[in-house]
Structure formats: structure tokens, C-alpha cells
Amino acid sequence: MLRCHRDGLPDVALVTRGDDLRRAFREYQSFGNMSTKTTVEAHDAALLTDPSIGDLDPPRHTQVRRLLLVAMAPKAIVQAESHVAAAARRVTASFADDGQAELVSQWATPIPSDAIAYVLGLPENDWPMINAFVHAQHSDAEAAVVAGRGLAPASEDFLTYVGDQVATRRRDPDEFDDALSRMCAFVGTDGTVFSDSEVIRNVQTLLSAGNETTTSLMCNLVWRLLTTPGAVDAVRDDRGLLPAAIEESLRLDPPVQIFNRRVRASTSLGGIELAIDEVLGLSIGSGNRDPAMWGDDPDNYVVDRFADPAAVPGHFGFGLGAHFCVGASLARLSALSGIEALLDATANLRLADGWTYDKVPPHALRRPRSLPVRFDPVPLSG
Ligand code: HEM
């Protein structure tokens, strides 16, 4: 644990060790999920109407989380497999004859966006428009940091579009079997139902929580495979290694490096006394390299480290406990489908000459701004 100050950001007590992170993620009663701009008292006194899940802890958090879990139901993700794989092949085919591509914009942005749109049930004709919206949000994340402001809200047009999709499902519930219709029909165990504006807000949450993160995972994965000696050959020779390669990417280069919490009651963690209202920075990036968990090579990309998941600890890439990522399965599916399609369509895949890693500016995010590659095209079948 260490205390840190950075101009323009709240002072934080940074949680860096795996053991301390496990406690901080699990003990939501002591370490609350709320904006760093408020205090515990003000947060609890505010009757948040239509709150984002990022401002809630159990018990209020539980109903919203159930709604999102209904949207991202395991059965729906399994059922999406062939569709996401087809979308990944289509996206990859769009540049496969060129012998070159910029993977952030041409591959790692559209595939997760199409996957989320598919699971939500948004019509395929609209995917290019949704893609453009997601792309604009990615760019806005950078602009927001440079300008020192928060993310711009989704455009009115986009919200109207989602609202129309909600209204269609309210009118004809039997016509649809998708995440949006399940969200519209959702009734919590205590009878809670969600209004149109709450459903729209949670669709926005899924789009913003799921896109930039999965784009980052896919770029970080390719970057490590291409820069770690033998790694890309290992996964080409044994595609069964890809899930392990993805987990190792999430461990070494977690797309979200840090999540904040606020101390709800005076306590101590990692030998440091914490006062109420202090901001905790849960450093996923650091915990995922803690030598106490990962042995003597925590900074290396070991492509088969997760080949036997039972033999390694869990990484913090998707968080832990009450707020564990609801889209983890879909993110893994997008990354696996994307990398399979890319390996199928290319031989001699390599980084463009002269390219150097330039990280996206937001301090909490980790991925290269661009990822230009060269390759020998291989005709795709199917
Ligand atoms: C590689 C991709 C992804 C990464 C690295 C990631 C990471 C995370 C992490 C670390 C958390 C925990 C936040 C906390 O403890 O405060 C989280 C929560 C969440 N994620 Fe993801 N995520 C990814 C993809 C997705 C996708 C695809 C979706 C949905 C389409 C999604 C939706 C959410 C939501 C709604 C939460 C809040 C859960 C809660 O507070 O109960 N994520 N994610």
C-alpha cells in the first residue's frame, strides 16, 4: 500500500498487493463503490434516481446487477458463439486481402461492438452506426483526458435509437428473444421492474463497460503474441492454447488498471490506517504482477501460464466479488473469435516497421493507441 498524489486527481491510497486487493474487492461494506467526487455521507444521503451500477453497492446494487446478468445470461453467450465467430470472420475479411491493417480501428473496435449489439438484439443493419458511436466514444475517452473533463454523454440520437428499440420490445414482447427483451421483461425478486429510461441507461452501461475494455484486451493480446519470442507460433501450432493466452494478457496487461473505492468506515489495510472518505485505488495492474502470487517472472508474458487454470491463482482483470465483471464471458468470446479469425486469415503476421508502443492517455486504461500490422494474406474459408 502507498499513498499517492497526482495533480488533477484525488489523492489515493493505492492497494498494490494481491492479498490486500482481494480484501478491498470483497469487503464492499468497508470499501464502497461511488464517485470519488462525493463523500460517503453525501452519497448515502442522495436518493440516486436512475443510478449507474458504478455508484451502488449491495443491497441496492443487487437488483441492477441481476438485470445486467439477465442481459448477459450464460446461455445467451453460448448461443452467441457462432454469430460472434461469423462477425469476427466478416470483420477480418474486410482487410484480409490488403496485407496490412490498423488493428485498433479495423479489427479490435468492430468485433466487440458487433458482439454486444448481437447479444442485445440490435438489428444487424444498425451495427455500422453502433460501431461509429463506439468509435466516437473511444476517441472521446482520449479527448476527455486531454481536456480534463469527464466522458461526454451519449448523443441524443443514439439514446433515441435505443429508446425506440426498447419501445418495440415493450409493444411486442413475444416477438423478441434477446438481452433487451429480457431487460424489459425483468422483474426482481422483490418485484422491482425497470422503466424505459432505466433500461436505456443500463444498455449504455453495457456498451461503455464492454467496448473499450474488450478492444484493449484484443490489442494487448496481439501485441504480446507478436513481441514475445515464440508466442505466436505456439498458438498457431496449438489453437487450444488461445484461452490461456487470453487470460495471460488479462493478467499482464489488464485493460482497466485501476478501480476506485471510498473508505466507508475507519479501518486498516496492508498495515495502513484508513480514515472514512479516503479514496482507495485498487491497482489491478500491480496485483496481477505481485510476486507473492505469480512467482519469480510476474513481468513476463508466459503464453501457457494459464494452460491449467486450477494450478494458478485467479487474476484481477475482471475484478472480484460483488462487482465481478458481468461481461467477462462475452469479452473472452470476442477475443477468442477475433484472434482465431486473424490467425486464419494471415501468415507471417508482424508489427509494422518502425511502430513503437504509444499508450492511450487515460491513466486507468492500458492499450496501444494504434496497432499497425503487416501479413501475407491467406484466403478465408466459410
Ligand atoms: C476485456 C474486457 C473487460 C474487462 C477487462 C472488464 C473489467 C471489469 C472489471 C475489472 C470490473 C469490476 C469493476 C469494479 O470492481 O468496480 C468490471 C465490471 C463490469 N463490467 Fe466489465 N470488463 C470487460 C468487458 C465487459 C463487457 C463485454 C461487458 C458487457 C457487455 C462488461 C460489463 C461490466 C459491468 C456492467 C460491470 C459492473 C458490474 C458490477 O458493478 O456489478 N464488461 N469489468
Side-chain angles (χ1 to χ4, degrees), residues 80-96 106-108 110-112 114-115 124 127 218 333-345 380 382:
E81 278 174 15
S82 59
H83 301 271
V84 175
R89 281 197 298 274
R90 185 179 33 70
V91 166
T92 307
S94 70
F95 59 77
Q106 289 184 268
W107 177 76
I111 292 173
D114 288 357
E124 196 163 341
W127 293 3
M218 292 171 69
L333 173 60
S334 296
L336 184 61
S337 304
I339 190 71
E340 291 265 22
L342 189 66
L343 293 176
D344 285 345
L380 277 171

Side-chain angles (χ1 to χ4, degrees), residues 25 33 52-57 61-62 64-66 68-69 72 77 112 115-116 119-120 202-203 205-218 246 250 253-261 282 284 315-332 334-335:
F25 268 121
N33 200 16
S52 143
I53 192 163
D55 282 324
L56 295 174
D57 282 304
H61 163 263
T62 310
V64 181
R65 184 171 169 90
R66 285 200 183 122
L68 293 171
L69 287 173
M72 294 288 127
I77 307 306
I116 296 173
V119 172
L120 285 170
N202 282 290
V203 169
T205 297
L206 291 172
L207 288 167
S208 60
N211 273 300
E212 167 64 44
T213 47
T214 312
T215 298
S216 301
L217 163 60
M218 292 171 69
I246 291 170
L250 285 161
D253 304 305
V256 189
Q257 293 278 303
I258 189 165
F259 267 99
N260 289 329
R261 295 288 192 268
L282 273 48
I284 293 175
H315 60 72
F316 299 104
F318 288 122
L320 188 73
H323 296 283
F324 182 83
C325 178
V326 301
S329 303
L330 185 58
R332 287 177 168 126
S334 296

Side-chain angles (χ1 to χ4, degrees), residues 26-40:
R26 286 195 172 123
E27 288 184 23
Y28 60 81
Q29 300 90 338
S30 308
F31 310 112
N33 200 16
M34 66 190 79
S35 162
T36 54
K37 297 199 176 88
T38 185
T39 61
V40 171

Side-chain angles (χ1 to χ4, degrees), residues 290-361:
D290 181 349
M293 289 177 73
W294 306 102
D296 56 11
D297 61 351
D299 297 332
N300 292 334
Y301 184 79
V302 179
V303 68
D304 61 355
R305 190 191 296 268
F306 284 84
D308 175 7
V312 272
H315 60 72
F316 299 104
F318 288 122
L320 188 73
H323 296 283
F324 182 83
C325 178
V326 301
S329 303
L330 185 58
R332 287 177 168 126
L333 173 60
S334 296
L336 184 61
S337 304
I339 190 71
E340 291 265 22
L342 189 66
L343 293 176
D344 285 345
T346 61
N348 191 20
L349 183 64
R350 59 203 184 277
L351 294 168
D353 284 347
W355 175 84
T356 52
Y357 191 111
D358 178 19
K359 192 185 108 38
V360 288

Side-chain angles (χ1 to χ4, degrees), residues 72-143:
M72 294 288 127
K75 217 170 86 186
I77 307 306
V78 171
Q79 187 267 329
E81 278 174 15
S82 59
H83 301 271
V84 175
R89 281 197 298 274
R90 185 179 33 70
V91 166
T92 307
S94 70
F95 59 77
D97 292 338
D98 300 347
Q100 60 176 17
E102 194 292 289
L103 291 184
V104 175
S105 56
Q106 289 184 268
W107 177 76
T109 298
I111 292 173
S113 164
D114 288 357
I116 296 173
Y118 173 79
V119 172
L120 285 170
L122 301 174
E124 196 163 341
N125 283 345
D126 300 338
W127 293 3
M129 178 274 292
I130 296 163
N131 245 285
F133 165 73
V134 167
H135 190 72
Q137 291 252 306
H138 285 191
S139 311
D140 191 67
E142 290 200 18

